[in-house]
Amino acid sequence: MFRQKLARELAEAAYALAVTFSIGCWAIHAAYLERGCRAIGGEYCLILITYLAAWKSIHVYLKRWRNWTMSDIVKKGEVEELLKSEITDDQFLKALGYAKHKQAYIYRQTKNPVVLQHWYLVKLMEECVRNLAFSKFTMDLCEALRNMEKEHSANCQSAQMDTHIVTGSAL
């Protein structure tokens, strides 16, 4: 994580410096031609503004590129159409993450280019949504059973129990 951030920041700075250097050379040369002598003027403001604009533009671009996901390609409606029901945004994003991970794993194992196709990812997402729903249902059921057991054990402890032993001759 730290290395990725450092690499991104270095790329941003390098790009901004390259753009600023080229614009700066041009601005200083144009000012020299205008004045006829070397002096400090408005071209240095242009250089500063160029650096800030170049850095901001590459920063925004890299941030969007890093956050780019298949959700731009896979639409929630496609998955809902296969499921014949609506899903929440949270379910969609979780399924997308799992499906992309599974797609990459399958591709690494098989090297089959079909795995990288759009329809394959949509089918994997359908499968993931079903699995997540089943998992949630199972966890909710287990929680309900655990609560029933707690309630039952609490009721049994509060009830009075007959602890007398009756022998066969007493009957």
Side-chain angles (χ1 to χ4, degrees):
M1 179 72 175
F2 175 74
R3 288 182 183 177
Q4 290 175 344
K5 184 176 180 182
L6 180 63
R8 189 181 77 241
E9 288 175 356
L10 287 175
E12 290 170 357
Y15 173 81
L17 287 172
V19 170
T20 303
F21 180 77
S22 61
I23 296 293
C25 288
W26 172 80
I28 291 172
H29 182 68
Y32 175 76
L33 290 176
E34 180 75 25
R35 292 187 197 113
C37 65
R38 298 222 179 259
I40 296 176
E43 67 273 12
Y44 289 95
C45 289
L46 176 65
I47 291 170
L48 179 63
I49 291 169
T50 300
Y51 179 82
L52 293 174
W55 180 84
K56 185 64 175 176
S57 65
I58 193 65
H59 178 76
V60 168
Y61 174 77
L62 290 177
K63 187 175 181 181
R64 286 185 182 165
W65 180 66
R66 186 187 74 218
N67 291 335
W68 178 79
T69 63
M70 291 297 283
S71 64
D72 297 335
I73 296 170
V74 176
K75 301 296 182 212
K76 190 169 124 177
E78 292 176 292
V79 180
E80 290 175 338
E81 185 178 326
L82 288 174
L83 291 167
K84 307 278 190 266
S85 68
E86 292 185 9
I87 58 174
T88 65
D89 290 338
D90 186 47
Q91 288 173 316
F92 177 75
L93 292 175
K94 277 185 182 177
L96 179 63
Y98 288 133
K100 284 174 56 179
H101 181 75
K102 188 172 184 175
Q103 182 185 38
Y105 175 79
I106 293 170
Y107 181 73
R108 280 193 311 270
Q109 297 298 318
T110 64
K111 301 292 187 226
N112 187 349
V114 172
V115 173
L116 298 177
Q117 292 182 358
H118 175 79
W119 65 268
Y120 197 89
L121 182 62
V122 174
K123 287 300 283 182
L124 286 174
M125 286 187 65
E126 174 196 14
E127 176 187 353
C128 288
V129 169
R130 290 184 192 279
N131 289 344
L132 288 169
F134 181 73
S135 178
K136 182 176 179 348
F137 171 77
T138 305
M139 294 301 289
D140 290 345
L141 184 61
C142 289
E143 184 68 27
L145 289 174
R146 189 171 337 155
N147 290 339
M148 287 173 56
E149 286 176 358
K150 286 180 185 177
E151 186 178 302
H152 178 67
S153 65
N155 289 342
C156 288
Q157 290 175 0
S158 64
Q160 291 184 353
M161 301 177 88
D162 190 12
T163 56
H164 298 296
I165 300 175
V166 179
T167 60
S169 61
L171 294 175

